[in-house]
Amino acid sequence: MKKGLFITFEGGDGSGKSTQIRLLKQNLEKTDREVLLTREPGGTEISEKIREIILDRNNTEMDNMTEALLYAAARAQLVSQVIRPALEAGKIVICDRFVDSSIAYQSYGRNLGDSISIINSFAVGDCMPDITILLKLSPEEANRRISGREQDRIELASDDFHHKVYEGYLELERKYPNRIVGIEATGTIESIAENIMGRVKELLGTVE
Ligand SMILES: Nc1ncnc2c1ncn2[C@@H]1O[C@H](COP(=O)(O)OP(=O)(O)OP(=O)(O)O)[C@@H](O)[C@H]1O
Ligand SMILES: [Mg+2]
């Protein structure tokens, strides 16, 4: 039976996930809980190999369903090899992106509909997050933040695609209000971190 706490971070490219995950880990470690950090796609040797295929800018011919299945395959390996054992051992697991990314990017961004939820229910089973922090930042603002760095195949997709992804996330927030906590990502790094820690503490109070 699951004893730990499973936290995922979601939001478009450049919305501040990595920044906030680093701070949340630091804040949680002050409470003496063991925290395991992982990322998607990746987090295991097999999943990192799959990540390279997905993000390779030369793979321009990749079919949308191939992409969706590769994400789910990488996720299945991560869940069985890393996330589930850590939760069973009572750890707090923080994952940079999870199933909601597939729904936002593939169902909404690539118009693949309900097939994505079905594929992912096979990939993760009942291993769903206890809380999902959704960092909400318009694609334009996010683009300004990351314009200086080299972009991968997904980041290079059209503005229209990134808008559909953003709308997808907002739809998911409406659909799963008990799990997904939407946070405006336009605030300062410190104020957002405080907000997130407050939400997570509430949850730790209820599960411990
Ligand atoms: N609240 C904030 N205000 C202003 N800039 C921010 C804020 N949070 C993060 N940034 C900056 O925005 C950039 C993107 O942040 P970060 O890498 O954390 O985003 P990300 O969501 O992890 O992106 P990706 O999806 O590409 O991994 C970084 O340069 C970071 O320093
Ligand atoms: Mg990041």
Side-chain angles (χ1 to χ4, degrees):
M1 211 191 74
K2 196 171 100 174
K3 290 180 296 199
L5 186 75
F6 186 17
I7 306 170
T8 60
F9 275 73
E10 294 286 351
D13 306 294
S15 56
K17 298 179 295 300
S18 299
T19 306
Q20 292 300 330
I21 287 172
R22 195 167 24 83
L23 293 172
L24 179 64
K25 181 170 189 277
Q26 284 172 11
N27 284 330
L28 284 171
E29 279 168 349
K30 286 181 204 151
T31 67
D32 282 341
R33 288 289 299 253
E34 196 172 340
V35 181
L36 186 126
L37 208 66
T38 186
R39 71 158 183 186
E40 281 216 340
T44 71
E45 206 177 322
I46 292 171
S47 309
E48 290 289 337
K49 284 183 187 161
I50 299 174
R51 178 189 177 96
E52 279 173 32
I53 300 172
I54 297 173
L55 299 182
D56 188 340
R57 290 165 62 149
N58 297 317
N59 284 340
T60 50
E61 75 276 33
M62 190 180 293
D63 177 75
N64 287 341
M65 189 50 82
T66 307
E67 180 185 278
L69 287 163
L70 285 172
Y71 274 116
R75 181 167 300 134
Q77 187 64 32
L78 180 67
V79 165
S80 69
Q81 196 180 333
V82 176
I83 296 178
R84 203 184 286 278
L87 292 173
E88 281 168 0
K91 294 179 191 168
I92 297 177
V93 176
I94 307 178
C95 193
D96 191 338
R97 297 191 177 282
F98 200 59
V99 172
D100 300 299
S101 282
S102 283
I103 310 241
Y105 282 74
Q106 271 71 50
S107 284
Y108 290 91
R110 305 270 195 230
N111 301 315
L112 291 181
D114 290 342
S115 57
I116 303 304
S117 300
I118 299 166
I119 293 166
N120 277 283
S121 66
F122 283 107
V124 308
D126 63 354
C127 191
M128 281 297 282
D130 298 296
I131 183 171
T132 297
I133 305 292
L134 171 61
L135 294 171
K136 299 197 285 187
L137 192 68
S138 72
E140 289 77 18
E141 185 57 38
N143 217 359
R144 270 194 284 279
R145 287 189 187 170
I146 59 171
S147 57
R149 73 187 188 198
E150 201 189 350
Q151 306 204 329
D152 64 38
R153 193 176 62 85
I154 306 294
E155 287 166 344
L156 286 170
S158 69
D159 288 348
D160 176 54
F161 171 76
H162 287 289
H163 269 281
K164 284 194 280 188
V165 170
Y166 185 59
E167 288 305 318
Y169 271 131
L170 298 183
E171 187 70 34
L172 282 168
E173 184 192 12
R174 283 189 288 271
K175 208 166 158 186
Y176 303 106
N178 294 332
R179 173 174 63 86
I180 301 184
V181 175
I183 291 180
E184 297 299 334
T186 44
T188 64
I189 290 174
E190 294 72 23
S191 68
I192 297 168
E194 238 171 73
N195 194 345
I196 293 172
M197 187 59 184
R199 301 296 188 125
V200 173
K201 264 188 181 160
E202 271 173 34
L203 206 59
L204 282 173
T206 62
V207 296
E208 276 175 345

